[in-house]
Amino acid sequence: MRLILRFILVVFILIIVGVTALLFMPGDRIAKFAEDQFEAATGRQMDITGDVRTSIYPLLGVRTGPVTIANADWAGDEPMLRAEGLSIGVNLMALFRGDVKIKKVEVIAPQILLEVAKDGRANWEMAPAGAAATAQSGAASGGGAVPAFTLGRGLVQGGKLTYINHASGEKTVLSDLDIDLRLPDFTGQGDISLSMRMHGQPISLDTTVAHFGKFINGGVSALETSIKTGGSSIAFNGKAGISPFAADGKVDADLADMAALFGVMGMEAPDLPKGMGRTARLSGDVTYTAQGTAHLRNGSIRLDHNLLTGAVDVFIAGKERPFVKGQFKADALDFSVLAASVDNETGAAVETAAGWPKDVIDVSALSTVDADVGLVANAIDLGTVKLGPSSVAVKLDRSRAVFELHKVQAYQGVVSGQFVMNGRGGLSVGGDLKVAHMAMQPLLKDLADYERLIAVGDLRVKFLGVGNTMDAIMRSLSGDGSFTLGQGEILGLDLVGMLRNLDTSYQGKGQKTVFNSISATFTMKDGVLYNDDLAFVAPLARADGSGEVGIGTQTLNYRITPVALAAADGTGGISVPVLITGTWANPKFRPDLKGLIDQNLAEEKAALEAKIAAEKAALQERLDAERAAAEQRAKDAIGVEAQDGESIEDAAKRKLEEEAKRGLLNLLGNN
């Protein structure tokens, strides 16, 4: 806005150079004189074509035909300004007194082209012909001091302004540009009204500057301004300067029309859930520094019906993306529409289809800013889950958001840990969360309208999921975890009666099952949770469980083996394995008869195997005894004793050999 204001003012002043002489010249000489004076003052060529007419009544003035002002040498052939005509009027009586009071300056349908070169030079930086002017001096001064003047009314009608920054590639086009400037005293108050279209969206601006001359020449002045687009408005009351731009004051922004606001930036308004900023209201003390930083103190931010207070710092200069640092406080925050079963528009419960949503999750907003924001709230309603006093922090760096749960109280317990949403090259989510001493009955009441489990539990889970839809993320989940429930009760469930009746739907009126503990560990891979050590321990019953839970497919394939009325040493009792299959929405429970048969057969098989082993051992013992007796009888019959390691056969053979040897010796007379 300051570029528009400064450029138009400079054009106004340059055009009326030598206005007194112009008013008494013929039209062609007026045009030539104006062209020469403009080029002498700026170093730029001005061309006035068509008729130049003067008037005396009601104002002494001049009106030109089409006008063009040349661009800078480095900026190309397109003129910096092209207008259908100029009109200037002065106060005739003041002129007789030697005082030039401009009553009206009008620029008709101007086409304005403002450009910044890659080296920082700007095409609106002008210097007299032959004068040395550098880009740096021009940039610092904004093109030189504006001489004092008064202006009853300065008008720009039906204009178009195009701004091109060749260094950054930025291009902005403002169309339907109308400006109305009133300045009765150059050193006093100036009023500016401006309307235009940006990306097709209408914008209006009204500004009052307390000390106009000081402000336009780079000083600081008290200033009030309001900007409106659609149903949104921003009001500022404080002080500001334009060279360099800086401001300090109070701001009140009513952002009721997000579509219009984002339309100005050439963007579509995000489809935010109610409570997250479909409409917003911001107020507080704002400071914008010459270094490109913005600061909000004593801030009040209302997002729909949610109110936050705190402070924010925004750093822009030298940053690839704006960096936002803030700390907020809130009493109670209502984000209940975040629940999957609640309609974003009405807040009413809706039927949910089976399976996870397959809509692509848009995380492009993560790349717009970097942030380090903290929030402390007394209560947070997430729809299906309600949180108590909570302290959380969000760090956003290059599309990766890390949510730190420092201490979140919920259902008499505490949640802590970290949750990560990474939008770099696709979407992935992960976390490492811990839940301590959480009351299960109120939690399950809110989550699943289930009130029969009374216990306090601990949970630990570490997970990672990848995908651009919720369905893909759930089908890719991996990780591990554990949970433990302390002593508690299951209301309306008589586990012993269920086993006695072999009926998994048996509840028992007024009954309950008291347990000492429930615990399990689990792993996750490719969206499937695996568990093989579920342990349910109760005074009159115990149960073991193992199986799979399809998180991605929302299916169950789980087996629980309860045992009731076991002996003190843990043996015996009634046991009926139960299979849980089907979907989460429609689980099926049935006794595992095959497992029961296999279990009973296993007991009989074990007993039979033990009997066979015992009989085999007894038979082997008898065989060993009979063999020993037979060997002894053989020894006695042949009269020989077997030596160590020698069998009875070997001993008999040895004796025969000895007898034969002695007989042969006797025959030969060798006795």
Side-chain angles (χ1 to χ4, degrees):
M1 296 299 175
R2 68 180 187 277
L3 295 178
I4 300 172
L5 176 63
R6 192 170 188 85
F7 177 78
I8 296 299
L9 288 173
V10 170
V11 171
F12 284 158
I13 299 304
L14 293 175
I15 290 175
I16 61 175
V17 172
V19 65
T20 305
L22 290 176
L23 295 175
F24 298 100
M25 291 183 181
D28 54 345
R29 294 185 60 192
I30 291 177
K32 178 62 177 174
F33 180 82
E35 292 170 352
D36 293 342
Q37 291 294 312
F38 186 88
E39 186 170 357
T42 67
R44 298 281 181 87
Q45 180 179 340
M46 172 190 280
D47 292 318
I48 301 175
T49 59
D51 294 336
V52 177
R53 301 185 300 273
T54 60
S55 63
I56 298 177
Y57 182 84
L59 289 176
L60 183 62
V62 61
R63 182 183 180 92
T64 76
V67 177
T68 59
I69 297 177
N71 212 330
D73 295 339
W74 53 265
D77 297 332
E78 185 71 17
M80 186 178 70
L81 181 141
R82 178 188 289 113
E84 293 181 4
L86 303 174
S87 178
I88 304 170
V90 300
N91 187 306
L92 180 60
M93 298 306 296
L95 186 62
F96 288 149
R97 297 193 298 270
D99 186 11
V100 179
K101 289 187 177 295
I102 305 168
K103 299 293 291 182
K104 182 179 180 181
V105 173
E106 182 177 358
V107 184
I108 304 169
Q111 305 288 307
I112 305 167
L113 176 61
L114 303 183
E115 297 181 83
V116 177
K118 290 184 178 180
D119 60 7
R121 290 177 296 170
N123 71 336
W124 61 86
E125 296 166 0
M126 303 179 189
T134 66
Q136 288 185 345
S137 65
S141 65
V146 177
F149 68 96
T150 63
L151 181 60
R153 191 177 188 188
L155 294 174
V156 172
Q157 293 185 336
K160 177 181 178 181
L161 186 146
T162 302
Y163 172 78
I164 301 175
N165 189 320
H166 295 283
S168 64
E170 177 187 359
K171 181 177 180 179
T172 302
V173 178
L174 308 178
S175 60
D176 297 339
L177 179 63
D178 293 335
I179 301 175
D180 189 345
L181 169 64
R182 299 174 187 269
L183 184 63
D185 182 353
F186 184 79
T187 61
Q189 177 176 307
D191 297 296
I192 306 169
S193 294
L194 179 150
S195 66
M196 60 185 176
R197 286 184 177 272
M198 186 171 180
H199 296 111
Q201 181 64 39
I203 309 171
S204 65
L205 178 145
D206 292 293
T207 300
T208 297
V209 181
H211 305 287
F212 185 88
K214 182 179 180 181
F215 177 77
I216 202 64
N217 282 312
V220 176
S221 170
L223 180 146
E224 292 184 28
T225 188
S226 65
I227 303 174
K228 295 181 180 179
T229 178
S232 294
S233 64
I234 302 173
F236 174 83
N237 188 354
K239 55 185 179 180
I242 60 171
S243 185
F245 180 71
D248 182 28
K250 293 186 178 297
V251 68
D252 186 359
D254 184 1
L255 311 180
D257 189 346
M258 286 294 181
L261 193 65
F262 277 84
V264 169
M265 297 180 284
M267 302 167 60
E268 290 188 6
D271 185 17
L272 298 173
K274 190 176 182 181
M276 298 293 290
R278 289 190 168 191
T279 64
R281 185 75 183 257
L282 181 147
S283 62
D285 300 325
V286 171
T287 300
Y288 184 88
T289 69
Q291 291 72 38
T293 66
H295 310 273
L296 173 68
R297 295 294 182 266
N298 303 315
S300 173
I301 301 175
R302 182 176 293 278
L303 304 176
D304 300 320
H305 49 272
N306 291 314
L307 178 64
L308 302 96
T309 59
V312 183
D313 300 300
V314 181
F315 303 89
I316 300 174
K319 302 289 184 181
E320 184 178 353
R321 289 166 301 279
F323 176 72
V324 179
K325 185 177 181 64
Q327 188 67 41
F328 297 99
K329 293 182 179 180
D331 182 17
L333 297 175
D334 182 4
F335 301 128
S336 56
V337 294
L338 293 178
S341 59
V342 175
D343 184 86
N344 279 350
E345 295 291 343
T346 65
V350 297
E351 294 293 331
T352 56
W356 300 104
K358 296 183 179 180
D359 299 333
V360 175
I361 301 172
D362 184 6
V363 293
S364 59
L366 295 179
S367 64
T368 58
V369 297
D370 292 337
D372 184 355
V373 179
L375 170 65
V376 176
N378 290 331
I380 304 176
D381 184 353
L382 298 177
T384 53
V385 176
K386 297 176 177 59
L387 307 179
S390 303
S391 175
V392 300
V394 181
K395 293 185 178 180
L396 178 57
D397 177 35
R398 294 178 293 114
S399 299
R400 183 176 183 268
V402 180
F403 299 81
E404 295 283 354
L405 309 182
H406 297 305
K407 185 177 181 182
V408 177
Q409 297 184 23
Y411 303 97
Q412 305 172 30
V414 176
V415 183
S416 60
Q418 186 182 87
F419 175 77
V420 179
M421 180 180 291
N422 190 347
R424 300 173 184 171
L427 175 61
S428 64
V429 296
D432 188 354
L433 302 174
K434 295 180 181 179
V435 177
H437 309 300
M438 186 165 289
M440 293 293 104
Q441 187 182 46
L443 173 64
L444 294 177
K445 165 64 177 174
D446 286 347
L447 284 176
D449 198 24
Y450 184 86
E451 300 182 83
R452 287 162 46 192
L453 177 61
I454 302 176
V456 173
D458 297 335
L459 169 69
R460 179 194 65 81
V461 61
K462 198 171 187 178
F463 65 93
L464 174 65
V466 179
N468 292 320
T469 67
M470 183 64 73
D471 181 75
I473 290 172
M474 290 302 179
R475 290 177 183 271
S476 69
L477 278 180
S478 62
D480 57 71
S482 64
F483 76 87
T484 302
L485 299 182
Q487 189 175 42
E489 303 174 356
I490 303 177
L491 302 179
L493 174 64
D494 184 355
L495 183 59
V496 176
M498 181 189 73
L499 297 176
R500 282 174 174 167
N501 291 276
L502 299 180
D503 183 1
T504 56
S505 63
Y506 184 85
Q507 292 186 6
K509 186 176 180 180
Q511 298 298 314
K512 64 182 179 181
T513 296
V514 177
F515 59 85
N516 296 331
S517 67
I518 303 176
S519 63
T521 62
F522 58 87
T523 60
M524 295 181 290
K525 184 178 180 181
D526 297 329
V528 180
L529 182 148
Y530 301 92
N531 161 256
D532 60 6
D533 63 353
L534 175 68
F536 176 97
V537 180
L540 299 176
R542 72 177 190 274
D544 299 321
S546 63
E548 302 174 1
V549 178
I551 300 175
T553 57
Q554 297 187 359
T555 56
L556 298 164
N557 185 15
Y558 204 80
R559 186 176 188 268
I560 297 178
T561 305
V563 179
L565 302 177
D569 61 358
T571 62
I574 304 171
S575 178
V576 181
V578 177
L579 290 177
I580 307 175
T581 59
T583 64
W584 295 3
N586 186 27
K588 292 179 172 53
F589 300 83
R590 59 184 174 87
D592 185 5
L593 298 180
K594 182 179 181 299
L596 181 61
I597 293 172
D598 291 343
Q599 177 179 301
N600 292 334
L601 289 178
E603 294 175 355
E604 294 179 4
K605 180 181 177 182
L608 182 59
E609 289 176 345
K611 182 179 179 180
I612 292 173
E615 293 178 352
K616 183 178 179 180
L619 178 60
Q620 185 65 46
E621 185 178 350
R622 289 197 302 271
L623 291 174
D624 292 343
E626 291 177 359
R627 180 175 182 177
E631 289 178 349
Q632 188 60 45
R633 287 193 297 270
K635 291 177 183 179
D636 294 342
I638 62 177
V640 65
E641 288 290 337
Q643 296 179 1
D644 292 342
E646 190 178 39
S647 66
I648 190 66
E649 292 84 358
D650 292 339
K653 182 179 179 182
R654 177 174 50 78
K655 185 175 181 180
L656 288 174
E657 289 175 349
E658 291 175 352
E659 291 292 336
K661 183 178 181 181
R662 282 196 298 269
L664 180 61
L665 290 175
N666 289 336
L667 180 63
L668 296 175
N670 187 13
N671 44 16

